[in-house]
Amino acid sequence: MREITVGGAQMGPIQKAESREAVVARMIVLLEAAAKRGCDLVVYPELTLTTFFPRYWMDDEAEIDAWFEREMPNGATKPLFDRARELEIALCLGYAELTPEGDHYNTQILTDRTGAIVGKYRKVHLPGHSEYDTERAFQHLEKKYFLPGDLGFPVWRNMDAWMGMMICNDRRWPESWRLMGLQGVELVVFGYNTPSVNSQMGGEGLEKRLYHSELVICAGAYQNATWAVAVAKAGDEDGHPLMGGSIIVDPNGFVVAKAQTEGDELITAVCDMDATVFGKETIFDFARHRRIEHYGPITAQTGVKTPEA
Ligand code: CDT
């Protein structure tokens, strides 16, 4: 058995004026709780350190850049990294990254148990739009504030397991999962900020949004015989509700832990990496069963082309 005890550190809402330092203090409270429950790895949400700022229209470059981190760790997050190193707990957390070249990404990092960063992922599937959209109940401007990730979907050897990352909307795309599945991923970790309300269909309802999220995570885990840890930032941010529903899913696609609140809440599960072997060697033995001669359009085209086109 190769057991890793994983904690999903769901975060409640973060208000616009809340400081990074205050958020990090909350993250450390969850980290201490995770230590008491024997966690080896703790996963935090997408853009953990701030409110979900892509809901705001901003033109001023300095105002935009104030939401971004120029290095990681930095002054605000150092206490978290220090405490994690003392507790020998690995971390995964998302943040807005501003590179020395001036590029902006929606980023997530993974550390080992010494606090060293072993992996960095930049969100590939950016949802939303780049121009102000008067038709929407609220804005979702990820395409304005971030570039699409340029690092692909690598996996990293960490704690004797193959780990991979994605961020939020990536979970809805089977391509994200399969690219990591093709590298033998055993544990996929990610955070999300999903509005509880569909800005383009107000009547959709929270239940359906939670269902779709769980559906794609369970399917992705099963179809690639991997564990998955999905962690929300939840609750009401400035009148904009974000859904909870953080889950840990096993390689058979079953939910083994689930958050019950929309606040700061830790979920945990003991994940045996060897539980991925059966699926990888049987129904999802990719080497034996994949038929790549039929898959060309998946990388050759984006939109739908009906046969008449
Ligand atoms: N943060 C993020 O990627 N949220 C999306 C909602 C997009 S709605 C425009 C998600 O897939 O949950």
Side-chain angles (χ1 to χ4, degrees):
M1 291 216 286
R2 287 180 294 136
E3 287 183 346
I4 298 176
T5 301
V6 179
Q10 178 175 289
M11 301 284 293
I14 296 171
Q15 303 310 328
K16 204 173 177 184
E18 206 161 334
S19 69
R20 262 70 151 191
E21 287 74 11
V23 174
V24 167
R26 285 168 54 187
M27 295 169 78
I28 292 174
V29 170
L30 289 164
L31 185 71
E32 301 284 356
K36 289 202 177 76
R37 284 160 67 170
C39 288
D40 303 300
L41 166 68
V42 173
V43 181
Y44 294 95
E46 174 190 30
L47 302 176
T48 311
L49 301 170
T50 66
T51 198
F52 189 67
F53 65 84
R55 73 170 66 90
Y56 301 115
W57 179 266
M58 295 174 281
D59 276 326
D60 182 67
E61 203 58 40
E63 186 187 356
I64 296 168
D65 287 354
W67 296 105
F68 285 74
E69 316 300 320
R70 288 175 167 76
E71 51 186 5
M72 189 58 60
N74 54 22
T77 55
K78 187 173 180 301
L80 174 75
F81 280 72
D82 288 348
R83 191 66 186 124
R85 189 179 312 110
E86 284 164 14
L87 295 168
E88 297 183 4
I89 295 176
L91 300 174
C92 171
L93 74 141
Y95 62 97
E97 177 192 12
L98 177 54
T99 71
E101 296 74 36
D103 292 331
H104 298 71
Y105 295 102
N106 187 339
T107 296
Q108 192 173 272
I109 47 119
L110 176 68
T111 76
D112 65 16
R113 299 178 72 152
T114 73
I117 293 176
V118 295
K120 177 186 274 192
Y121 169 74
R122 291 172 173 155
K123 186 175 184 178
V124 166
H125 298 100
L126 297 172
H129 48 109
S130 54
E131 301 299 330
Y132 195 92
D133 186 346
T134 54
E135 300 294 312
R136 292 181 187 242
F138 52 90
Q139 305 298 298
H140 193 114
L141 293 157
E142 287 195 58
K143 287 189 196 292
K144 172 173 168 64
Y145 298 129
F146 304 118
L147 289 171
D150 59 349
L151 302 175
F153 290 92
V155 302
W156 299 271
R157 195 74 185 166
N158 196 17
M159 293 186 282
D160 199 23
W162 289 112
M163 297 188 187
M165 293 194 277
M166 58 169 81
I167 300 177
C168 192
N169 186 257
D170 289 318
R171 72 195 188 283
R172 304 185 194 276
W173 300 89
E175 294 87 348
S176 317
W177 295 92
R178 183 49 51 88
L179 282 165
M180 290 186 272
L182 285 168
Q183 299 167 83
V185 76
E186 296 168 314
L187 176 62
V188 174
V189 291
F190 62 95
Y192 60 92
N193 283 257
T194 299
S196 306
V197 177
N198 186 330
S199 64
Q200 295 167 294
M201 192 195 281
E204 184 177 73
L206 176 60
E207 196 184 342
K208 194 192 280 183
R209 294 175 74 73
L210 285 164
Y211 171 72
H212 285 158
S213 180
E214 198 165 305
L215 175 72
V216 293
I217 299 164
C218 292
Y222 167 65
Q223 291 171 340
N224 295 279
T226 180
W227 291 90
V229 182
V231 181
K233 179 138 67 59
D236 190 315
E237 290 191 341
D238 206 7
H240 294 89
L242 297 168
M243 69 183 212
S246 301
I247 49 174
I248 301 175
V249 177
D250 76 15
N252 287 300
F254 284 93
V255 176
V256 296
K258 187 172 191 166
Q260 301 302 317
T261 72
E262 290 187 347
D264 291 7
E265 180 180 346
L266 180 72
I267 58 171
T268 64
V270 179
C271 306
D272 178 9
M273 297 300 121
D274 285 341
T276 65
V277 172
F278 182 75
K280 288 184 190 301
E281 290 186 349
T282 57
I283 191 158
F284 296 117
D285 181 345
F286 295 151
R288 277 195 294 145
H289 304 308
R290 294 183 78 243
R291 287 289 165 220
I292 58 173
E293 64 272 28
H294 298 293
Y295 301 164
I298 289 178
T299 54
Q301 76 187 59
T302 49
V304 174
K305 280 190 206 160
T306 59
E308 295 80 34

